[in-house]
Amino acid sequence: CCPSFSVLSAATRSLMSLDVFEMAAAAANPEAHIDDSADDIALALDCVGLSDMGPAIPTGKLRLVRPTPETYKFLLDELRSRLTEGSGETIFEIGVGDGEIQGIDPASMEASVATLKQLSAECQADISLLRARNEPQGEAAEYLVRLRCDSDDFIEVRVAVVGNVDAGKSTLLGVLTHGELDNGRGRSRQKLFRHKHEADSGRTSCVAHDILGFDSTGGVVNTPTHDGQLDWTDICSSAAKVITFIDLAGHEKYLKTTVFGLTGHAPQFAMLMIGSNMGVVGMTREHLGLALALNVPVFVVVTKVDICPPNVLEETMVLLQKILKSPGCRKMPLLVSNEDDVIVTASNFVSDRICPIFHVSNVTGTGLPLLKMFLNLLNPRTPLNSDAPAEFQIDETYTVPGVGTVVSGTAIAGTIRVNDTLLLGPDSTGNFTPVAIKGIHRRRLPTKEVRGGQTASFALKKIKRSAIRKGMVMVAPSLNPRATWEFEGEILVLHHPTTISAKYQAMIHCGAIRQTAAIVSMDRDHLRTGDKTVARFRFVRYPEYMRPGSRLVFREGRTKAVGSVSRTYPIGGPKEGIAAPGPASAAPVGAAAAPVGATAAPAPES
């Protein structure tokens, strides 16, 4: 076996598939009975950084100490690759090698840090120490490497804030974003409310947004003005990473708004808030089930720990861990109590199995530094798909004096620039209208372009707001978009009081789409709680633009079902419809249906 292949680092091994290693083994041992083509072998050698005459890959713990030019070039390429894969940031370990006793002496640590700074400078990035620890042979450290973004660009992470009413959602966001502790009577939340009745009742009734900015070294850049308000333009222009909080309603009568916030605003993470003195009650299970159904990773924040008796807090934690470990959730709850826990959970959070739990108090500040550190390390789950044709879903419309019609939403794919012409639709007849973009804002900051996975607002030319509704899309003309009246969906019924039959109508939530649809046909006569089926739906009011493989929520009153779109029937398209790709149509329903069914379906009333 090739000696260079045997010293691959553990991190490199974990990032590569088994097939790549089989190809690399075939290249190293021609006698092996592995039937791979020469192109596959060349690709494998390129993936692992090997060549016939190339040097061994440096993986030792001293590789950053006075590296040779070849080693330095390899390290630079590795860092650039990791920054690209991590959407502009990565965690770099020093003093750790493959198969070696961990730890290096102080002089080697100093030299390694100097090399890492030089590498980061060439990548236009900054480094910040996350933690240093003592190992058997000396020191080891982990550094956060983050790109310095331009004044009109930043890394964006969207976090939906859900939980039962009076769990402290808006209060926590006010404390995090304004840097001022609460007085115990809701002073912090007053800065987030959008309506007078919300300020009077203290309850959120609509989808509200707030932002928390971090610079390239991990410092918070939120600085309220003299009147206590935040200037989003200053925050976004000075931040390298912006956490966008989507504050959703906790009351049951606003469930429709909460579901739209979880589907239409495309959050990458969900922060489930639980009042320690109230426990897991009310809409907590409902919101957890929705997040699991939509495949959104969840972390839990237990609030009001300063006023909760220890025995009540313990009961709440026991019940919470029981729910998270249940066969329906299949989560691994981890109570975060120090910075080491934060780094471990943030680094492995993308696995969807780990569920960090934080104890915080908005009055005393307990646990807030750990929560801020965790948010700083959260990595965007959505890759920037900027090469595909442009596609943008609309979740809100405005009329701005002096500007005209403005739409906001999320770019699903592609790159959209100022003065681009896209197709807006579908309208009530299923047609798409060309519109020109005369201005782009990201979090109130003017910019020239927006890429897939980012949220933005567009000022449109020569179109009235009355011609636009939530759920419409703006797509590139090359996609040749077609509206859909009917579609097929694989659904799992979480709860229904009686039975569901053909012609049953309920509200469909799919991305930014929110419209009533009727069941035209299904593969069985009746559906009850826990049943799974493939049903054909038809929209009641107007056609929509749908992508096969999209997640959907089907609800009406206490009836709830989840699933995904398996096939669409566009207007003027083939009679057999357009099916979703195999993994997209088969994996989501089975994987997400089981978790939700066990957690969200309530028992029938007696």
Side-chain angles (χ1 to χ4, degrees):
C1 184
C2 174
S4 300
F5 180 73
S6 63
V7 296
L8 282 172
S9 67
T12 308
R13 289 178 188 270
S14 65
L15 290 174
M16 296 181 181
S17 64
L18 180 61
D19 294 336
V20 174
F21 279 98
E22 289 177 351
M23 290 186 287
N29 184 9
E31 302 299 328
H33 299 286
I34 300 178
D35 185 17
D36 286 320
S37 65
D39 292 339
D40 290 338
I41 295 173
L43 175 62
L45 291 175
D46 183 65
C47 287
V48 299
L50 299 177
S51 62
D52 293 337
M53 302 299 295
I57 297 178
T59 60
K61 61 185 179 181
L62 298 176
R63 59 179 177 163
L64 292 175
V65 180
R66 293 181 294 277
T68 63
E70 293 80 7
T71 301
Y72 186 87
K73 183 179 182 303
F74 171 81
L75 292 171
L76 184 60
D77 292 342
E78 180 191 14
L79 182 59
R80 285 173 175 164
S81 175
R82 290 173 60 173
L83 288 172
T84 301
E85 293 175 359
S87 301
E89 60 184 20
T90 185
I91 296 178
F92 206 100
E93 282 189 294
I94 298 178
V96 178
D98 183 23
E100 298 177 292
I101 300 177
Q102 297 185 2
I104 55 178
D105 59 85
S108 299
M109 174 62 71
E110 184 177 356
S112 299
V113 173
T115 302
L116 182 58
K117 285 183 179 179
Q118 187 175 353
L119 291 168
S120 302
E122 292 201 33
C123 296
Q124 301 297 316
D126 290 323
I127 69 172
S128 58
L129 176 65
L130 293 180
R131 64 170 173 172
R133 61 184 189 273
N134 294 323
E135 296 293 348
Q137 288 194 349
E139 303 174 354
E142 293 179 59
Y143 281 83
L144 173 66
V145 184
R146 177 175 293 165
L147 290 176
R148 306 186 202 108
C149 296
D150 298 332
S151 58
D152 61 346
D153 193 16
F154 50 84
I155 304 169
E156 181 181 359
V157 179
R158 295 182 297 278
V159 179
V161 184
V162 295
N164 192 47
V165 64
D166 298 332
K169 298 183 293 295
S170 300
T171 301
L172 177 62
L173 296 190
V175 171
L176 287 175
T177 57
H178 289 74
E180 182 181 354
L181 295 176
D182 189 53
N183 63 350
R185 292 175 175 81
R187 179 179 60 190
S188 298
R189 69 187 180 196
Q190 297 296 326
K191 303 168 184 175
L192 275 66
F193 290 145
R194 296 173 57 182
H195 305 289
K196 184 178 182 301
H197 69 85
E198 292 180 334
D200 294 340
S201 65
R203 293 179 177 176
T204 303
S205 63
C206 63
V207 179
H209 293 81
D210 217 338
I211 61 174
L212 177 63
F214 296 95
D215 58 23
S216 57
T217 61
V220 178
V221 300
N222 286 40
T223 305
T225 58
H226 65 280
D227 58 352
Q229 300 300 316
L230 294 176
D231 189 335
W232 285 25
T233 303
D234 290 344
I235 294 174
C236 294
S237 60
S238 58
K241 183 176 187 176
V242 172
I243 308 293
T244 300
F245 294 107
I246 306 171
D247 189 15
L248 302 178
H251 200 280
E252 185 175 3
K253 68 179 180 180
Y254 302 124
L255 178 61
K256 181 177 74 171
T257 302
T258 301
V259 174
F260 178 73
L262 284 170
T263 57
H265 291 258
Q268 296 159 323
F269 302 96
M271 181 165 66
L272 179 66
M273 306 280 293
I274 298 175
S276 58
N277 56 341
M278 296 182 294
V280 185
V281 296
M283 299 300 292
T284 304
R285 295 173 184 262
E286 195 83 33
H287 292 171
L288 176 60
L290 284 171
L292 293 173
L294 298 170
N295 201 24
V296 179
V298 180
F299 63 96
V300 181
V301 177
V302 180
T303 60
K304 306 180 183 180
V305 295
D306 56 317
I307 63 173
C308 182
N311 61 316
V312 177
L313 177 60
E314 183 179 358
E315 293 175 2
T316 300
M317 292 300 300
V318 169
L319 178 58
L320 175 61
Q321 293 183 10
K322 181 180 178 181
I323 293 174
L324 294 176
K325 290 180 180 179
S326 65
C329 284
R330 298 193 297 273
K331 295 287 186 180
M332 186 185 304
L334 292 175
L335 180 60
V336 177
S337 57
N338 53 51
E339 294 184 353
D340 291 348
D341 295 341
V342 172
I343 297 171
V344 171
T345 53
S347 301
N348 298 280
F349 193 39
V350 291
S351 67
D352 292 342
R353 286 297 308 278
I354 293 179
C355 182
I357 302 175
F358 297 85
H359 286 177
V360 302
S361 169
N362 297 320
V363 176
T364 63
T366 302
L368 290 178
L370 296 179
L371 181 57
K372 284 185 180 180
M373 184 179 180
F374 179 78
L375 294 171
N376 177 40
L377 297 179
L378 273 184
N379 194 268
R381 301 174 62 232
T382 308
L384 297 180
N385 188 11
S386 56
D387 297 330
E391 188 174 343
F392 182 87
Q393 67 178 23
I394 298 173
D395 57 46
E396 197 64 75
T397 62
Y398 310 92
T399 298
V400 180
V403 177
T405 303
V406 174
V407 298
S408 69
T410 306
I412 304 301
T415 302
I416 305 174
R417 298 179 177 87
V418 176
N419 296 324
D420 281 358
T421 299
L422 301 177
L423 296 180
L424 171 67
D427 57 17
S428 58
T429 60
N431 296 321
F432 288 77
T433 305
V435 293
I437 298 172
K438 63 180 180 180
I440 302 177
H441 278 203
R442 288 188 62 202
R443 299 300 165 206
R444 306 177 190 173
L445 180 69
T447 185
K448 297 296 183 183
E449 67 176 28
V450 60
R451 298 183 294 277
Q454 300 176 342
T455 57
S457 299
F458 296 154
L460 306 181
K461 292 181 180 179
K462 299 179 181 179
I463 190 167
K464 295 182 179 180
R465 182 187 177 187
S466 58
I468 306 175
R469 57 178 171 80
K470 296 179 183 179
M472 295 178 81
V473 296
M474 298 166 59
V475 298
S478 60
L479 285 176
N480 189 23
R482 293 177 178 176
T484 298
W485 274 109
E486 295 188 0
F487 68 93
E488 282 184 3
E490 299 179 1
I491 62 171
L492 169 74
V493 180
L494 303 181
H495 176 69
H496 185 64
T498 55
T499 59
I500 296 176
S501 305
K503 299 184 181 181
Y504 179 81
Q505 295 186 2
M507 182 71 71
I508 292 287
H509 293 267
C510 181
I513 296 172
R514 183 173 62 179
Q515 187 186 161
T516 302
I519 296 179
V520 178
S521 61
M522 51 187 179
D523 59 3
R524 58 173 65 186
D525 294 333
H526 304 286
L527 292 176
R528 295 179 175 84
T529 299
D531 289 345
K532 187 177 178 181
T533 186
V534 177
R536 183 160 177 167
F537 298 87
R538 180 177 177 85
F539 288 115
V540 172
R541 296 187 60 189
Y542 29 67
E544 302 281 5
Y545 178 79
M546 303 190 75
R547 289 173 288 111
S550 302
R551 294 273 182 164
L552 63 86
V553 177
F554 181 72
R555 61 165 211 88
E556 187 264 330
R558 297 198 63 190
T559 301
K560 299 171 188 69
V562 297
S564 66
V565 179
S566 58
R567 187 180 297 270
T568 60
Y569 297 89
I571 299 174
K575 292 184 178 180
E576 66 274 11
I578 300 176
S585 61
V589 177
V596 186
T599 53
E605 292 184 355
S606 58

